[in-house]
Amino acid sequence: MTQAQAAGTNGGMSKGTPTIVIVGGGAGGLELAVRLGRKLGKKQRAEIILVGAREHCIMLDTPVAAERFHQRLINSCLRAQSQSKGAGEGRFTVTIIGGGATGVELSAELHMTARILSSYGLANFHPERDLKIAIVDAAPRILQMLPERLSSAVALQLRKLDIEIHSNEKVVQISSDGVKMASGKFIPSSLVVWAAGIKAPDFLREIDGLETNRINQLHVTPTLQTTRDANIFALGDCACCPQGDGLPAVPPRAQSAHQQAALLAKSLVRQMAGKSLLEFKYVDYGSLVSMGNYSTVGSLMGAIASGSVFIEGYIAKWMYWWLHKHHQIAVNGVFHTWLATWAETINRVSNPRIKLH
């Protein structure tokens, strides 16, 4: 969730040097800060400031929430090891609200984590017996925004893992006992995780009179300038960027933030040189969904073919890994990414796969 503002001066540089403030440390914000730092910061042409502004909430978007989730999952598995019960009795249920890529990938990772835990000498713990995972989504199918073939392939794999999918179900109440849906269905839940869409921070709502939508995104023009202040730019999750008549706004996805960061890094340099700003045109290159060690599926678009190409298995898994590395290269550079990759390889061999404390 990122916005950039070019204004003011800074005492640490020469008088009149512009200061570019990037609010938000998401994928787009990090990449934009690095690109502008290389082009403007090193040459003392501008000061680049990155400010984190994400609110702490009970979701998996903060270290505190992630650590709490980790501890509750591990403790529940250890509790299952120490207790003797029949199949289905006292199962630890994790309900994930949201059937998008985040919810789907989380469910598969949780299942894989439970299986790994069972190999740590926990003879009485059985993933399929002691852990239940359920996905709830209001859409007719999971991964609603992606091609139906991809969605069907993922749903089939999840059901093979005994992960429940409740589509066409609108959540109306979340209590300490579980999740209630509009249909009257109730899922007793030990832990509920929210993974249904994004919302920009509340401080963006009417900040300095800027125009926002119902999820606090800043309305921007095709040049990524906010509609009420041409000196404030927005990109990534916090930007509501138009695509043209009859088309929805640019989707808040990682590839959108990457493309916007690349364009805005060029545009701000052009603006400082007195040139016109570039207009953003979103290109959808497809999507990849990882289900841990089980599988990876995706659809490729754009340069591969005139339509879309469905991929799965090792090819899709390799491409998912490469996209992750591509982002690291954009932020850290080739050399540091190369070192980090070697460190990850060594740690994978020498370190345990799950942290138990």
Side-chain angles (χ1 to χ4, degrees), residues 42-161:
K42 286 186 177 181
K43 299 177 182 178
Q44 300 292 302
R45 294 175 57 191
E47 181 174 15
I48 316 300
I49 300 176
L50 178 64
V51 182
R54 305 186 70 188
E55 292 185 340
H56 289 271
C57 55
I58 308 176
M59 298 181 187
L60 293 183
D61 58 353
T62 67
V64 174
E67 181 62 27
R68 184 165 63 248
F69 177 83
H70 171 84
Q71 288 298 334
R72 288 192 62 179
L73 178 65
I74 297 298
N75 290 340
S76 298
C77 294
L78 294 177
R79 194 179 304 116
Q81 157 69 12
S82 63
Q83 298 173 352
S84 177
K85 54 183 175 294
E89 296 181 10
R91 298 180 77 185
F92 178 74
T93 302
V94 179
T95 300
I96 301 171
I97 302 176
T102 301
V104 167
E105 293 186 356
L106 175 61
S107 66
E109 289 289 345
L110 284 176
H111 191 278
M112 184 177 66
T113 299
R115 281 195 168 181
I116 296 172
L117 266 174
S118 65
S119 66
Y120 275 52
L122 305 184
N124 296 330
F125 174 71
H126 301 281
E128 286 76 14
R129 184 191 68 188
D130 300 316
L131 176 65
K132 175 182 175 182
I133 303 171
I135 300 175
V136 179
D137 197 275
R141 57 183 174 87
I142 60 172
L143 302 174
Q144 176 68 20
M145 301 301 293
L146 302 183
E148 187 171 353
R149 182 182 178 186
L150 190 152
S151 173
S152 299
V154 171
L156 178 62
Q157 180 64 48
L158 292 179
R159 290 191 172 98
K160 288 181 179 179
L161 300 177

Side-chain angles (χ1 to χ4, degrees), residues 161-238:
L161 300 177
D162 198 29
I163 295 174
E164 295 184 2
I165 300 175
H166 302 269
S167 55
N168 265 330
E169 294 285 359
K170 183 179 179 181
V171 174
V172 295
Q173 183 181 9
I174 301 174
S175 65
S176 58
D177 297 324
V179 177
K180 183 179 180 181
M181 287 156 271
S183 64
K185 187 183 297 184
F186 182 79
I187 303 177
S189 307
S190 308
L191 186 60
V192 179
V193 182
W194 184 269
I198 61 99
K199 181 182 178 182
D202 289 335
F203 81 90
L204 285 178
R205 188 187 303 123
E206 300 299 328
I207 181 173
D208 289 335
L210 298 179
E211 184 182 8
T212 58
N213 61 12
R214 63 181 180 83
I215 57 173
N216 301 338
Q217 290 178 313
L218 297 172
H219 283 283
V220 298
T221 65
T223 56
L224 301 182
Q225 295 169 291
T226 53
T227 54
R228 295 178 182 173
D229 192 328
N231 287 321
I232 297 180
F233 298 79
L235 73 155
D237 290 353
C238 82

Side-chain angles (χ1 to χ4, degrees), residues 5 9 16 61 117 180 192-193 206 261 281 315 317 321 356:
Q5 178 176 8
T9 62
D61 58 353
L117 266 174
K180 183 179 180 181
V192 179
V193 182
E206 300 299 328
K281 296 186 184 302
I315 295 177
K317 187 172 294 187
W321 176 86
L356 296 177

